[in-house]
Amino acid sequence: MSQIIAIVGRPNVGKSTLFNRLIGEKRAIIDNISGVTRDRIYGDSEWNGKPFTVIDTGGFVKNSDDIFEAAIREQVHIAIDEADIIIFMVDVTTGITDLDEQMANILRRQSKKVFVTVNKVDNNSRLLLANEFWSLGFENTFFLSSMNGSGTGELLDAVAEVLLPPDPDAKDLAIPRIAIVGQPNVGKSSLTNALMGEERNIVTDIAGTTRDSIHSHYNKFGKEFYLVDTAGIRKKAKVHENLEFYSVLRAIRAMEESDVVMLMIDAANGIESQDLSIFGLAAKRNKGIVVLVNKWDLVQDKETNTARDFEARLKQKLAPFNDVPILFISVLEKQRISKAIDLALEVYENRNRRITTSVLNEVMQAAIERTPPPSHRGRFLKIKYITQLPLAYPAFAFFCNYPDHVKENYKNFLRNKLRENFNFKGVPLTVFFRSKN
């Protein structure tokens, strides 16, 4: 499971610039005006063979009455609580400010590894000035320029030493891990309790009651799997967090530990942007996905085609990856919750499906002959053969003469042909194109 690294600091010190550099793409908006980053942004990265998730947080301003700065301040605290490693960014051009001191005081109370990162150190005079930041009292202090990249390698080397490597001796790897994710108060803990047959998790009407991931071992009726519930126990009086931000953090953690994700949505609200965000995270991580529409018993005026029309609208929003099982359930009435597990285990089997190279080429070459790839600038593309890669999820390599010229719409065509001929329902398909003359 990849660990979480949070980049924190006061406004306009260069957190988003460093974030973009770490993930290798310009995803966070950068501007000289402080406070540009408000929504939390997540990205995946890897260094020295160790994967990790990076969170770009907004600028921390203590005791501000501004509504945005107050919301950002809450989210920064959550990021600090949830992260395994913290990168505390400061600016050499301004020296140590009161806001830096306030952030340092917060981080000193943490037991987590903190890396002080002095940004904008891009010449010798600034290198001398940067030594001032050793007075903050943190052992790990690095000088860099997130704009031109100097010094980031040394920082990442030190971070990689702290990151935990994958455990090769992890037990029960063959047992499916099914994560239950979704927005707060959608019924995740209730589903876990119903499946386990016990009050495993606290359930209240207050969104955010659940906190930490809980692994429940299910071994009944000839079925064995782990339920990874984004759940935990916290008193109602302590639930003050920005719940949307928190739910995404918990979803990331749960998905990292799972093979299949059961995305629960509320039948009354339908699928919302937050649900689509979680769905996209699961698909990007190549996890199997099942969509559960909970509280279907509360939908009024249901007719013969109500469920069919709801499913059609749902799949339209999930496009292009809409080959996903959708099940209408009621956790309260225990309607179709056993079917939900059957579907999740079926998707798990689909995710582990392996197609022999001979069968793969026989089927796909016939489809390619009927619909060959379009030419590119007078060059005719020819796919020589196809093979499935030995990965934990379905991934296929297409060997051709001009791999860089295969258009995205033809890649989608090949994915659809794979789905038509082989059962990969509920599983994202990854296709690679490699050179073969």
Side-chain angles (χ1 to χ4, degrees), residues 329-365:
I329 67 170
S330 169
V331 174
L332 185 64
E333 301 293 332
K334 296 186 177 180
Q335 294 176 353
R336 292 179 286 277
I337 60 174
S338 295
K339 176 65 175 175
I341 292 301
D342 291 339
L343 279 175
L345 293 176
E346 181 183 334
V347 169
Y348 173 78
E349 294 298 326
N350 294 344
R351 188 170 184 261
N352 290 301
R353 178 161 284 108
R354 296 293 178 264
I355 312 298
T356 62
T357 301
S358 59
V359 172
L360 192 60
N361 280 273
E362 180 182 350
V363 171
M364 292 303 294
Q365 288 291 2

Side-chain angles (χ1 to χ4, degrees), residues 259-261 279-290 320-325 347 350-354 388 392-396 415 418-419 423-431:
D259 302 299
V260 178
V261 169
F279 179 88
L281 288 169
K284 186 176 180 180
R285 283 164 169 75
N286 298 292
K287 306 296 183 178
I289 306 174
V290 176
F321 176 34
N322 53 18
D323 186 20
V324 177
V347 169
N350 294 344
R351 188 170 184 261
N352 290 301
R353 178 161 284 108
R354 296 293 178 264
Q388 185 171 0
Y393 53 88
F396 301 88
R415 289 190 189 97
L418 285 167
R419 292 190 183 280
N423 185 8
F424 288 112
K425 190 175 183 66
V427 185
L429 298 182
T430 304
V431 294

Side-chain angles (χ1 to χ4, degrees), residues 403 406-416 431 433:
V406 181
K407 294 182 171 62
E408 189 61 34
N409 59 355
Y410 196 75
K411 293 179 183 179
N412 289 332
F413 165 78
L414 294 174
R415 289 190 189 97
N416 291 335
V431 294
F433 291 84

Side-chain angles (χ1 to χ4, degrees), residues 310-319 321-326 425:
F310 191 104
E311 181 174 345
R313 292 194 300 271
L314 200 57
K315 288 191 172 183
Q316 187 177 16
K317 291 186 177 182
L318 298 178
F321 176 34
N322 53 18
D323 186 20
V324 177
I326 297 173
K425 190 175 183 66

Side-chain angles (χ1 to χ4, degrees), residues 84-237:
D84 301 290
I85 295 171
I86 298 165
I87 293 178
F88 172 27
M89 180 163 275
V90 290
D91 185 346
V92 69
T93 62
T94 59
I96 299 175
T97 68
D98 291 342
L99 289 176
D100 294 328
E101 290 282 9
Q102 291 167 3
M103 175 61 75
N105 289 334
I106 293 170
L107 296 178
R108 287 190 194 101
R109 295 193 290 269
Q110 302 293 322
S111 59
K112 297 165 185 177
K113 205 77 170 179
V114 176
F115 293 85
V116 175
T117 304
V118 186
N119 192 26
K120 306 179 186 178
V121 182
D122 48 16
N123 58 49
N124 289 332
S125 62
R126 289 184 176 182
L127 183 61
L128 291 172
L129 294 172
N131 286 291
E132 172 191 3
F133 289 90
W134 286 104
S135 65
L136 290 173
F138 292 94
E139 178 184 357
N140 299 287
T141 299
F142 293 84
F143 307 151
L144 56 80
S145 170
S146 57
M147 182 66 73
N148 62 36
S150 64
T152 54
E154 289 83 353
L155 170 66
L156 287 171
D157 285 341
V159 168
E161 288 183 8
V162 179
L163 290 170
L164 296 175
D167 184 5
D169 300 321
K171 297 180 180 179
D172 300 327
L173 290 179
I175 299 177
R177 281 174 159 77
I178 303 171
I180 306 173
V181 301
Q183 293 198 61
N185 209 27
V186 77
K188 301 185 296 295
S189 297
S190 298
L191 177 59
T192 300
N193 292 342
L195 290 170
M196 298 303 297
E198 58 182 288
E199 294 301 311
R200 171 73 175 173
N201 302 324
I202 288 179
V203 178
T204 74
D205 290 333
I206 298 177
T209 300
T210 54
R211 289 283 297 185
D212 300 317
S213 291
I214 292 179
H215 290 64
S216 303
H217 186 204
Y218 183 100
N219 192 4
K220 303 176 184 178
F221 311 111
K223 298 172 184 174
E224 185 177 11
F225 54 87
Y226 282 108
L227 273 179
V228 185
D229 179 21
T230 53
I233 300 171
R234 172 161 286 206
K235 294 179 181 178
K236 300 176 187 178

